[in-house]
Amino acid sequence: MGTKTVDEAVDANGTEAKSDEETVNATKTDEAPDAEVEETGNAEAEDVEDRDDLDAEALEGEDTPEAEKGTPGVGQGAAAVVSAGLGVVSLTGSWVATVAAARETLVGQLGTSSTASVAKQVKEVYGDAWATTALVGGLFALAALIVGVVVLVRPAFGAPGKPQAAWIKSVAWAGVSLGVIGLVLAVAKYSDIILGLPSTS
């Protein structure tokens, strides 16, 4: 009653062996997806880091040319504004012209005797002062004209493929125009073509 046959023993051992193999296989099956997930996660993390590095390099590569292009544009824009400012000063006057005219008036008063003719007194006291004002205004106008022209022709001597900004051209042309007007008026006043000395006869 308590003995087992050979077949029963074999079946029992075979069943136990199969059970052990299934346990091992199940354990391996459970561990395999975890390992694959870890490897996949590491690969994705490396890909994200590579993409971040590439994006950073791309941004750095884009910023450098913009900075290099911005440097000459700033100088040209500032020069254009200076040209326009000088043109305005040539037409409206400056403290330099005011002081120079006042000094010329004082010199005329000191150098002219009370017995001099009226025409001479007018010329020495007023005429020379007005001419000095016109001369200073003409110098400002000439400076505005020169600076504006330099700004306009600067791209021809710069690096090719870098067009000048439209606003720089506009301001530079304004400076050139104001300089030409101021220069013409200064020459006309200095030579008494306009606003000449009144007649004393």
Side-chain angles (χ1 to χ4, degrees):
M1 296 291 293
T3 60
K4 292 182 179 180
T5 64
V6 175
D7 294 334
E8 291 177 353
V10 170
D11 292 338
N13 294 332
T15 302
E16 292 176 358
K18 289 180 180 179
S19 298
D20 293 338
E21 291 178 357
E22 289 176 356
T23 303
V24 171
N25 291 333
T27 304
K28 290 182 178 180
T29 305
D30 293 338
E31 293 177 353
D34 294 336
E36 291 178 357
V37 169
E38 291 179 358
E39 292 178 356
T40 304
N42 292 334
E44 291 178 354
E46 291 178 356
D47 291 339
V48 171
E49 291 178 357
D50 292 339
R51 290 174 185 172
D52 293 339
D53 293 339
L54 291 175
D55 293 339
E57 291 177 357
L59 291 174
E60 290 177 357
E62 290 177 357
D63 291 340
T64 302
E66 289 180 359
E68 292 177 354
K69 290 180 181 179
T71 302
V74 170
Q76 294 177 23
V81 173
V82 169
S83 174
L86 290 173
V88 172
V89 170
S90 69
L91 295 175
T92 59
S94 65
W95 66 268
V96 177
T98 302
V99 172
R103 181 181 182 279
E104 193 64 31
T105 299
L106 180 60
V107 170
Q109 290 175 349
L110 295 175
T112 304
S113 63
S114 58
T115 58
S117 63
V118 175
K120 182 175 179 57
Q121 291 181 11
V122 170
K123 181 182 181 304
E124 293 294 333
V125 176
Y126 297 102
D128 292 346
W130 295 345
T132 301
T133 302
L135 178 62
V136 174
L139 293 177
F140 275 99
L142 182 61
L145 180 61
I146 293 174
V147 173
V149 170
V150 169
V151 172
L152 291 175
V153 301
R154 176 64 180 83
F157 300 96
K162 292 183 179 180
Q164 194 175 53
W167 73 269
I168 295 177
K169 291 182 179 180
S170 299
V171 177
W173 275 115
V176 170
S177 301
L178 292 172
V180 170
I181 295 173
L183 191 60
V184 170
L185 292 176
V187 171
K189 175 62 193 83
Y190 190 82
S191 59
D192 288 337
I193 295 176
I194 60 173
L195 301 176
L197 291 173
S199 176
T200 56
S201 56

